[in-house]
């Protein structure tokens, strides 16, 4: 148990569906992240939120829409996805401090997404 | 963009053997981290190395940070089946943490 909970664990959706991934952290951290993990590729940083404010959006297509209502909750809204979006989506949190470079990320178990 | 390359990509060994995996970059990092990811789970932080030349030990795992802070290695002594997993190195600022593609280790009983 890492203190970061993701739901659902598995999701199968069609290209026309709308779904949301949820992440909740119980660690009192101020930063939350979405990463995408595809087979044989490095984890790709998608979005970063610090104190509810989005600080990074790494050229992610608009069919992925993040939402961070507070420092403990993070959502990823999915709409008209493509089959190549099938991957493991990982949420993480940390006690981020600007200028700090030895961040400890705490990850959830991920949502395994399949787009048909 | 600071890229991290890990080698080997796959490694399959017998229980009791020793192994070393590598993480290399052309860029200097102020620190590097090692994570282990087991099937069906997210990565879990093992260690952070901060100083060039630093060596850290975690039971049978030995982590080293290169003198120039561009590379790191992980050595496992007498590997056990419980060491099976994906080993990832990572580095960067909190809002730009980059990961290598990982070394997938399988330790057979």
């Amino acid at each position: 148990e890492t203190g970061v909970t993701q739901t659902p664990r598995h999701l199968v959706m069609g290209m026309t569906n709308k779904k949301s991934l949820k992440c909740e952290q119980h660690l009192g951290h101020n930063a939350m992240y979405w990463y995408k993990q595809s087979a044989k590729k490095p984890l790709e940083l998608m979005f970063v939120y610090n104190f509810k404010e989005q600080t990074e959006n790494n050229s992610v297509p608009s069919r992925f829409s993040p939402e961070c209502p507070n420092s403990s909750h993070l959502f990823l809204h999915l709409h008209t996805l493509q089959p190549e979006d099938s991957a493991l989506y990982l949420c993480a949190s940390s006690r981020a401090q600007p200028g700090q470079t030895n961040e400890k990320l705490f990850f959830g178990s991920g949502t395994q997404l399949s787009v048909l | 963009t600071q890229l991290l390359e890990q080698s080997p990509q796959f490694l399959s060994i017998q229980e009791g053997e020793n192994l070393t995996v590598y993480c290399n970059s052309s860029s200097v990092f102020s620190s590097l981290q090692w994570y282990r990811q087991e099937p069906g789970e997210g990565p879990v932080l093992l260690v952070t190395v901060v100083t060039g030349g630093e060596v850290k030990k975690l039971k049978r795992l030995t982590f080293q940070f290169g003198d120039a802070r561009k590379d790191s290695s992980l050595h496992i002594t007498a590997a056990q089946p419980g060491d099976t997993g994906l080993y990832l190195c990572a580095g960067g600022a909190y809002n730009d943490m980059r990961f290598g593609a990982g070394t997938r280790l399988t330790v057979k009983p």
Side-chain angles (χ1 to χ4, degrees), chain B residues 24-40:
Chain B
N24 294 290
S25 176
S26 58
S27 302
V28 175
F29 283 86
S30 55
S31 65
L32 281 178
Q33 300 181 329
W34 285 92
Y35 291 78
R36 179 170 65 207
Q37 183 177 18
E38 298 184 13

Side-chain angles (χ1 to χ4, degrees), chain A residues 52-88:
Chain A
K52 303 188 303 178
E53 299 298 320
Q54 187 178 123
T55 61
E56 295 296 325
N57 176 343
N58 286 330
S59 303
V60 180
S62 60
R63 56 185 184 269
F64 295 91
S65 175
E67 178 189 1
C68 188
N70 54 61
S71 294
S72 298
H73 294 85
L74 185 63
F75 296 88
L76 188 61
H77 304 299
L78 315 172
H79 178 50
T80 59
L81 294 192
Q82 304 298 311
E84 59 264 29
D85 296 323
S86 298
L88 181 68

Side-chain angles (χ1 to χ4, degrees), chain B residues 18-84:
Chain B
N18 301 332
L19 66 113
T20 302
V21 299
Y22 301 91
C23 174
N24 294 290
S25 176
S26 58
S27 302
V28 175
F29 283 86
S30 55
S31 65
L32 281 178
Q33 300 181 329
W34 285 92
Y35 291 78
R36 179 170 65 207
Q37 183 177 18
E38 298 184 13
E41 299 298 330
V44 176
L45 179 66
L46 296 174
V47 78
T48 302
V49 285
V50 179
T51 306
E54 180 178 10
V55 176
K56 281 192 173 179
K57 291 191 174 184
L58 187 66
K59 297 184 180 178
R60 296 174 293 100
L61 278 60
T62 301
F63 304 84
Q64 185 161 7
F65 201 12
D67 291 341
R69 292 186 286 124
K70 292 184 178 181
D71 56 87
S72 182
S73 63
L74 160 59
H75 181 79
I76 301 179
T77 304
Q80 299 178 1
D83 296 326
T84 292

Side-chain angles (χ1 to χ4, degrees), chain A residues 17 26 32 42 66 68 70 91 112:
Chain A
N17 291 157
H26 308 277
M32 297 189 77
C68 188
N70 54 61
C91 172
Q112 187 65 54

Side-chain angles (χ1 to χ4, degrees), chain A residues 9 33 37 56 96 101 103 109, chain B residues 30-31 33 37 40-41 94:
Chain A
R9 291 294 303 271
Y33 312 76
Q37 187 174 33
E56 295 296 325
T101 56
E103 223 32 56
S109 298
Chain B
S30 55
S31 65
Q33 300 181 329
Q37 183 177 18
E41 299 298 330
Y94 87 94

